[in-house]
Amino acid sequence: EKRTVTQIEKSGYPDSIYINAAKIFQGIRTEKSEDKSQVRYGDNSESPMVAFKDEHSRRASYELAFNALKYQDLLEEILLDSKVYPCYSIPDELTSLLVVMLYDLQDRKFQKQKIFAEEEVVAEVQEIGHYLYSYRTKLAAALARCRIKYDALSIEYFLPETVWKQEQRASALPACFWINTLKISLEDVIRDLEMKGFTKVESVSDFDHYTYAVDQHCHDVLVFPSSLREELLNLDLFADCKLLLQ
């Protein structure tokens, strides 16, 4: 079966999301035996405190951390093959940050990160970001060698077939949002969506991009096309917790 991958242009994240993603990844990463692991991580015996600015930040942090986990072996191989790791100016405690930021760098095709002017700057993130970007050519070459070595058209091909198929099925499912009736009514949500150009349809079979349907069994649940998931997460309705992603 031929795999197809939809490409979405990426621009990076604010520093706080990299820090939170690194803390999450540190707690969930695959631990390897001393004789097999050439990449050293700091001690993760204590669960680090993670503070999220809002729901969007929380979701982005977890998504970045779990993407780094899925490709942990590949990311470590890229670091070692490119000779970017080990770097003696980067302590083991920041290896998780190095890995999650490497995942994001390759995800945006080794392009420069967007500047988030209103966000707080974190020195460790800036340091590692500049370090990785300065070696972007070597890192991209190491990724290319891995793809040739494993006959992979893209990094998605490094996932086991079962995991890849699960992700394809999940990405095709309609996006379901609960209406937080403590903050807003169904009528007000519909009015807000219509002002933003959305059209109500009877069922998911009638979906045509900027459309939505009210769930037939739960009238406080709205269903949207899967292609709108990321766009919906940027709506004020979601940021204000008036709509909650199922």
Side-chain angles (χ1 to χ4, degrees):
E1 179 184 354
K2 184 178 179 181
R3 298 185 183 184
T4 58
V5 179
T6 302
Q7 299 296 331
I8 301 174
E9 187 175 341
K10 306 293 177 66
S11 57
Y13 299 95
D15 289 7
S16 61
I17 289 180
Y18 290 117
I19 286 290
N20 285 336
K23 290 178 180 178
I24 296 165
F25 176 77
Q26 178 73 359
I28 62 176
R29 64 181 173 80
T30 302
E31 294 199 47
K32 301 170 184 176
S33 59
E34 288 285 331
D35 57 324
K36 291 185 178 180
S37 178
Q38 299 180 60
V39 177
R40 307 295 181 187
Y41 296 87
D43 178 38
N44 65 341
S45 56
E46 294 185 11
S47 299
M49 295 296 293
V50 183
F52 302 108
K53 184 177 69 173
D54 51 34
E55 179 65 14
H56 178 74
S57 173
R58 184 185 73 84
R59 290 190 61 82
S61 300
Y62 273 99
E63 181 179 21
L64 180 55
F66 275 92
N67 278 330
L69 175 65
K70 284 191 299 187
Y71 298 103
Q72 180 180 336
D73 289 345
L74 172 64
L75 295 170
E76 290 178 354
E77 186 169 346
I78 292 171
L79 286 171
L80 294 166
D81 182 64
S82 64
K83 305 295 192 295
V84 169
Y85 181 91
C87 173
Y88 299 105
S89 65
I90 298 177
D92 291 349
E93 288 71 25
L94 292 180
T95 301
S96 287
L97 182 60
L98 184 71
V99 170
V100 299
M101 293 191 73
L102 172 58
Y103 172 81
D104 179 61
L105 179 61
Q106 68 76 33
D107 195 38
R108 60 178 195 269
K109 310 303 178 190
F110 298 95
Q111 298 300 308
K112 201 167 185 62
Q113 180 185 352
K114 172 185 173 183
I115 302 298
F116 294 87
E118 298 178 0
E119 295 288 340
E120 180 182 355
V121 172
V122 179
E124 293 87 351
V125 173
Q126 293 294 310
E127 177 189 353
I128 289 180
H130 290 311
Y131 176 71
L132 287 172
Y133 190 71
S134 68
Y135 286 101
R136 62 191 180 281
T137 303
K138 288 186 175 182
L139 291 165
L143 173 57
R145 285 192 292 272
C146 286
R147 287 171 55 182
I148 293 170
K149 178 180 176 181
Y150 298 105
D151 192 25
L153 295 178
S154 67
I155 72 162
E156 285 80 7
Y157 284 74
F158 288 92
L159 291 175
E161 186 75 12
T162 53
V163 175
W164 180 83
K165 286 185 175 180
Q166 286 173 354
E167 292 203 341
Q168 289 297 100
R169 284 195 293 269
S171 65
L173 290 173
C176 298
F177 286 81
W178 289 92
I179 297 171
N180 184 353
T181 53
L182 295 175
K183 290 193 170 188
I184 196 169
S185 67
L186 170 62
E187 292 73 21
D188 287 339
V189 170
I190 290 175
R191 189 180 303 114
D192 192 299
L193 290 172
E194 288 178 348
M195 288 176 62
K196 290 179 169 63
F198 286 83
T199 303
K200 182 182 175 183
V201 295
E202 290 303 313
S203 69
V204 295
S205 60
D206 300 319
F207 278 167
D208 182 21
H209 201 49
Y210 283 102
T211 51
Y212 69 95
V214 178
D215 189 277
Q216 295 179 359
H217 304 290
C218 301
H219 295 290
D220 56 353
V221 173
L222 300 181
V223 187
F224 297 84
S226 59
S227 59
L228 294 178
R229 185 185 303 267
E230 292 303 316
E231 197 168 336
L232 289 165
L233 295 180
N234 291 317
L235 291 180
D236 292 339
L237 287 170
F238 182 79
D240 296 337
C241 297
K242 294 175 180 178
L243 284 182
L244 307 172
L245 180 62
Q246 174 63 48

